[in-house]
Amino acid sequence: SAHLLERIGLAAVGASCGLYVGATLLREKGGLFESGWIVLITMLYGALSYYVGIDLSGSAARKSISGISEEWNGSEPAAIMSAAGTFGAAIAAALSVSILVLDQNPPNGLVAFVAGCWVVGSSLHVAAGTMALRCSRTP
C-alpha cells in the first residue's frame, strides 16, 4: 500500500506540472492551444507519465540491462530514459511556472520549447516505465 500511495503522489505531481505547462500553452492566442482541453490533456499525460515512469524499481530496471555492453558502466537504459524524462518535464514545468508567475509574454519559440520538453520528457517516462515493466515480467 505504501508503493501505491507513492505512485498516486507522483501522479499528482505530474498532473500539477502538466497544469502549469497547459496553462502556459493556453495563454497563447491563436494556434493549436486555444482550447481549454490542452490543460486537461497535459495534466492527464503528466499524471500517467509520472505514475508509470518515475522511481522505477531497482530490480526491474536492472533486468533491462542484460543485452547492454560493459561500456554503459552498469547504467540501466530504463533508468537513463526516466532520468532524461524527469529532466525534460522539470525544465518545461519550471519555465511554465516562471512565465506564469512573472506574467511574461514569451516568444513563440520559447512556448514551442516548453511544449517540446513536456512531450518528450513525459513520453520518455512512459517508455521507461513500460520498458522496465516488460523487463520485470521476463525471466
Side-chain angles (χ1 to χ4, degrees):
S1 64
H3 185 67
L4 180 62
L5 187 61
E6 178 186 35
R7 309 301 320 157
I8 292 170
L10 286 170
V13 169
S16 298
C17 291
L19 172 65
Y20 291 121
V21 172
T24 299
L25 297 176
L26 185 62
R27 287 182 56 186
E28 291 301 304
K29 301 298 179 208
L32 290 172
F33 309 120
E34 287 184 290
S35 171
W37 285 99
I38 192 66
V39 176
L40 182 62
I41 290 168
T42 57
M43 287 180 68
L44 290 176
Y45 196 52
L48 171 74
S49 71
Y50 275 56
Y51 182 87
V52 170
I54 291 185
D55 190 34
L56 303 173
S57 72
S59 62
R62 276 193 289 282
K63 288 181 184 177
S64 69
I65 192 172
S66 61
I68 305 298
S69 68
E70 286 299 315
E71 67 188 52
W72 283 87
N73 295 328
S75 297
E76 299 88 1
I80 292 170
M81 288 173 61
S82 180
T86 300
F87 180 78
I91 292 297
L95 286 173
S96 295
V97 168
S98 65
I99 289 168
L100 294 170
V101 168
L102 298 174
D103 196 26
Q104 298 292 312
N105 289 322
N108 290 339
L110 182 59
V111 174
F113 178 74
V114 167
C117 283
W118 182 252
V119 169
V120 170
S122 296
S123 296
L124 282 172
H125 278 157
V126 172
T130 304
M131 192 167 89
L133 182 63
R134 193 173 339 148
C135 289
S136 69
R137 289 184 181 170
T138 59

